């Protein structure tokens, strides 16, 4: 639950800063968020919160299982992709429930963020949930697909409310690490190129309900990106 002492009428976070890093896979957000949190923690208590699902890493681990791994991963990926594709039918209650559980995992991580913030701890996040685009870019996993199943429809409704609650909390600043497809693919050779392209396109469309967004060209060297990120954080937290 978002408390009134934490968010003002314009949804702006009051109190300890929340700094969110977003971007396509290969933009460097995970590495950068870890180091930035460590740097900030030297002058003010800072907590790093991962707000991703982790489903991609799980899929790649399944794929590495002997003999049956690749087949299982293809089946799961196909069902997950269908669930997240606008206009497609969600393939069954079990698939919907798994997607819903991943969203619950993200919501519990977000609750951890809120508890830390209420204790005046500065927050750095790797990713940030949004309620604008379903099926991608840390948005709702079930709202893109279609269903006539009442159980799945109930899960869709609950999940949508969870994302609306999370998205209603505006970070102090969102740092968008923008990267092109060539760079992302070179840094993440184990990722599907078409999926990377979709993530890049969709991430550039996000507005996070008017929250402050600062864009950095993530094609630059890591040192240059880190320097710019720290300068942006200083501007918003001074």
């Amino acid at each position: 639950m978002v408390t009134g002492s934490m968010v003002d009428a314009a949804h702006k976070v009051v109190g300890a800063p929340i700094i969110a890093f977003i971007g396509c896979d290969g933009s460097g957000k995970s590495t950068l968020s870890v180091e930035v949190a460590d740097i900030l923690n030297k002058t003010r208590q800072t907590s790093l919160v991962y707000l991703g699902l982790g489903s991609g890493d799980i899929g790649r681990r399944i794929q590495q299982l002997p003999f049956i791994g690749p087949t299982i991963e293809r089946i799961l990926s196909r069902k997950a992709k269908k669930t997240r594709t606008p206009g497609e039918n969600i393939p069954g209650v079990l698939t919907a429930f798994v997607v819903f559980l991943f969203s619950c995992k993200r919501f519990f991580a977000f609750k951890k963020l809120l508890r830390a913030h209420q204790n005046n701890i500065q927050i750095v996040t790797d990713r940030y949930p949004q309620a604008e685009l379903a099926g991608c870019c840390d948005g709702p996993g079930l709202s893109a697909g279609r269903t006539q199943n009442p159980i799945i429809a109930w899960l869709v409704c609950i999940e949508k409310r969870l994302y609306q609650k999370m998205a209603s909390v505006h970070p102090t600043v969102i740092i968008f690490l923008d990267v092109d497809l060539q760079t992302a693919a070179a840094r993440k050779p184990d990722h599907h190129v078409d999926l990377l392209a979709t993530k890049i396109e969709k991430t550039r469309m996000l507005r996070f309900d008017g929250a402050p967004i600062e864009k950095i060209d993530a094609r630059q060297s890591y040192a240059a990106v880190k320097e710019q990120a720290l300068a942006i954080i200083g501007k918003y937290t001074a």
Side-chain angles (χ1 to χ4, degrees), residues 54-232:
S55 56
D57 289 335
I58 292 174
R60 284 184 283 276
R61 289 172 190 167
I62 292 174
Q63 192 175 34
Q64 293 171 1
L65 293 174
F67 307 116
I68 62 172
T71 301
I72 294 175
E73 193 277 334
R74 280 196 300 272
I75 293 172
L76 294 175
S77 294
R78 185 168 62 248
K79 288 188 175 184
K81 183 178 181 180
K82 191 172 182 180
T83 300
R84 293 185 170 93
T85 301
E88 289 282 353
N89 290 319
I90 298 174
V93 175
L94 180 59
T95 299
F97 189 66
V98 170
V99 173
F100 178 75
L101 286 179
F102 274 111
S103 291
C104 289
K105 174 179 177 287
R106 173 175 277 149
F107 186 70
F108 291 144
F110 198 82
K111 295 289 283 185
K112 174 185 175 183
L113 177 156
L114 296 183
R115 288 193 298 270
H117 185 274
Q118 287 164 0
N119 290 322
N120 202 35
I121 297 173
Q122 183 170 243
I123 308 294
V124 173
T125 77
D126 177 356
R127 301 173 178 264
Y128 204 81
Q130 51 84 16
E132 300 165 42
L133 296 176
C136 65
C137 304
D138 302 305
L142 295 174
S143 296
R146 299 183 303 177
T147 185
Q148 294 182 338
N149 184 300
I151 297 176
I152 298 177
W154 178 67
L155 293 175
V156 171
C157 184
I158 295 175
E159 185 200 52
K160 186 175 181 179
R161 287 202 294 265
L162 293 181
Y163 277 85
Q164 288 172 340
K165 286 183 179 180
M166 291 187 285
S168 71
V169 180
H170 287 190
T172 307
V173 61
I174 296 172
I175 299 178
F176 170 30
L177 303 179
D178 193 19
V179 69
D180 63 5
L181 181 58
Q182 181 179 2
T183 303
R187 292 175 180 174
K188 296 290 184 179
D190 59 333
H191 286 47
H192 296 296
V193 175
D194 56 344
L195 184 58
L196 289 174
T198 298
K199 288 183 177 180
I200 291 171
E201 177 189 2
K202 298 296 185 181
T203 303
R204 289 171 176 170
M205 296 170 58
L206 294 173
R207 295 296 176 265
F208 289 92
D209 194 31
I213 302 175
E214 297 277 353
K215 184 166 73 172
I216 296 177
D217 184 352
R219 296 173 300 175
Q220 303 174 90
S221 69
Y222 178 77
V225 172
K226 181 177 71 173
E227 181 180 2
Q228 291 175 42
L230 290 172
I232 289 170

